[in-house]
Amino acid sequence: MSFSRRRSSVADAAEVLHHDEDKLAELGYKQELNRSWSLLHNFGVSFSIISVVTGITTLFSYGLTVGGPGVMSVGWIIVTFMTTFVGLSMAEIVSAVPTSGGPYFWAAILAPKSQAPFWSWMTGWFNLLGQVAVTTGITFGCANLISTLATVKGTYSPTAGRTLGIYAALLVSHGTVNTFGVNILKYLNNTSIVLHSLGVSAIAIAVLAKAPTHQSASFVFAKFYDGTGDPGWSVRASPAYVAVCGCLLSQYTITGYDASAHLSEETKKAEWSAPIGVLTSIIVSGIFGFFYLLSLLFSIQNFENTVSSSVGQPVLQIFIDVFGEDGAIVLMTLIILCVWHCGLFSLTSNSRMMFGFSRDGGLPGMFHKVDIRFKCPIRTVWLAAFLAFLLAIPSLGSTVAFSAATSIATIGLYISYGLPIFIGLLWPKNFTKGPFSLGMASRPVALISCLWIGFIAIVFCLPTANPVTSQTLNYTPVAVGIIFFFALTAWILWARKWFTGPIRQIEAAETLGINVEDPIAVAEAEKEGKM
């Protein structure tokens, strides 16, 4: 009996795998990556990249000074609510188009054929910028936490150069695991889920239980604080200006859930698993993040001392005030482990996006290569790591480089999310829904998503330090502007002549008489530049 059930289970698994491969073939691609991820694994990658402990911990200082506790707590509720609309729109699209290319592929599918290459090109470059900036923000934040923790009970003195060195070492560790440990990524994913759920919950409960005193609800939900300068932006502009800028903490934290789409070619039952992964990662992260954020805000012992902490990290200061130095070291080490896992899977997602973009001609063809032994796009893994390192170099001469990187990540990613949603709104007849469909609510939800994305794309380009100098300039508009100018100029001058959007790989191979099921024939065709 057990043998029959086992044989039936194997047959069902094979049927699912064939269905996924057939769907991918419908979209024009052969199965190259290792499709072994479950819904839990797919959710786990996005949950790990959102990583509420990463965003809240690394931007807690920013949140306290740009708006204070009231903006942080209320802003989290508003941002989570609005982001859920974006997630619903994206889930509906990924259900119909489950490929590793993600947003740039969606843009091409949803746009009219004559405009598909242009929209795909622009979306791809914004997604690439956002992906690289997210990896930078996460891993550079981890380097900052390590550098700060090393000052406790020690003589270590953090400098910009030393922090950049730690950052480089972390990128190498992530690249190495993604290169040689692709088969253990799903197990590390399980570890990450446990750390980001049970681990973060344990920290939050312990902080609340051990705190000698607790702040009032009016402090947590209503206290406004402007530490943006003298005078601050609440005087120079208005309190509302500071409040909307302060929402960066929440919006940056809840990003990266497109990872569920980028991992769809490695996920079983992708038409359902990927959209559910997108949506549940937002909702679950919103709940866990709110609990973690409130536990920290309620446990602040002295607001002024926390803001101007001698250790330079408000969360670490809260831990020291509550647990003492030894306990603070233990808890911060656990948080650093969470952030390390977050950076690891951010690089995974980043490399898959670049792999898909290269496969379709958006990046040089040399990056569209899957290592046969590891079934991993190794070249894009290290390209992603290298670009993330370049983006952090301004930290050597800028005091706001980290918050700028988080703004770039937020704007770059959300523009790439918003473009295909906007295209689907303009040309609904091109949108053939998948199993996950919003029905009549589809267009109203898409409109709300686009309006919210347009709002945050403007807000997070604004300066948050006064006076504005070369050291405090928010260089987000510069980085985003460079990508926009490069992508548009490249399109006008040469890309429009050869970039056709997503290449239907199977059709192209069949036209050339190449059997895509024959790995030797495919390898020879790639070597000769035919594919």
Side-chain angles (χ1 to χ4, degrees), residues 351-431:
S351 66
R352 272 33 172 201
M353 180 272 158
M354 290 181 178
F355 162 77
F357 203 34
S358 174
R359 177 172 64 185
D360 293 320
L363 289 174
M366 64 176 287
F367 293 112
H368 168 222
K369 183 174 176 60
V370 176
D371 184 271
I372 296 174
R373 180 181 174 188
F374 297 108
K375 288 196 172 183
C376 169
I378 292 175
R379 294 181 182 181
T380 54
V381 166
W382 291 102
L383 174 64
F386 174 70
L387 293 177
F389 179 77
L390 290 183
L391 193 58
I393 289 177
S395 67
L396 293 172
S398 173
T399 57
V400 296
F402 175 70
S403 60
T406 59
S407 295
I408 294 166
T410 305
I411 293 172
L413 278 183
Y414 273 93
I415 288 177
S416 73
Y417 297 170
L419 284 174
I421 297 172
F422 180 67
I423 293 166
L425 194 60
L426 286 182
W427 294 286
K429 291 182 180 179
N430 296 338
F431 191 178

Side-chain angles (χ1 to χ4, degrees), residues 319-486:
F319 289 164
I320 291 174
D321 292 342
V322 173
F323 298 100
E325 290 185 341
D326 291 338
I329 290 172
V330 172
L331 291 187
M332 191 56 74
T333 300
L334 178 59
I335 287 175
I336 288 170
L337 279 174
C338 290
V339 183
W340 184 88
H341 280 80
C342 177
L344 173 71
F345 289 107
S346 176
L347 193 69
T348 306
S349 174
N350 197 342
S351 66
R352 272 33 172 201
M353 180 272 158
M354 290 181 178
F355 162 77
F357 203 34
S358 174
R359 177 172 64 185
D360 293 320
L363 289 174
M366 64 176 287
F367 293 112
H368 168 222
K369 183 174 176 60
V370 176
D371 184 271
I372 296 174
R373 180 181 174 188
F374 297 108
K375 288 196 172 183
C376 169
I378 292 175
R379 294 181 182 181
T380 54
V381 166
W382 291 102
L383 174 64
F386 174 70
L387 293 177
F389 179 77
L390 290 183
L391 193 58
I393 289 177
S395 67
L396 293 172
S398 173
T399 57
V400 296
F402 175 70
S403 60
T406 59
S407 295
I408 294 166
T410 305
I411 293 172
L413 278 183
Y414 273 93
I415 288 177
S416 73
Y417 297 170
L419 284 174
I421 297 172
F422 180 67
I423 293 166
L425 194 60
L426 286 182
W427 294 286
K429 291 182 180 179
N430 296 338
F431 191 178
T432 303
K433 306 291 178 66
F436 184 95
S437 173
L438 299 177
M440 293 179 64
S442 179
R443 300 198 74 197
V445 168
L447 179 60
I448 294 171
S449 300
C450 291
L451 291 174
W452 178 250
I453 290 169
F455 172 72
I456 63 175
I458 295 170
V459 166
F460 298 147
C461 283
L462 300 174
T464 55
N466 189 42
V468 179
T469 67
S470 60
Q471 294 293 306
T472 62
L473 174 72
N474 181 356
Y475 66 89
T476 302
V478 178
V480 175
I482 287 173
I483 286 295
F484 176 76
F485 179 77
F486 164 78

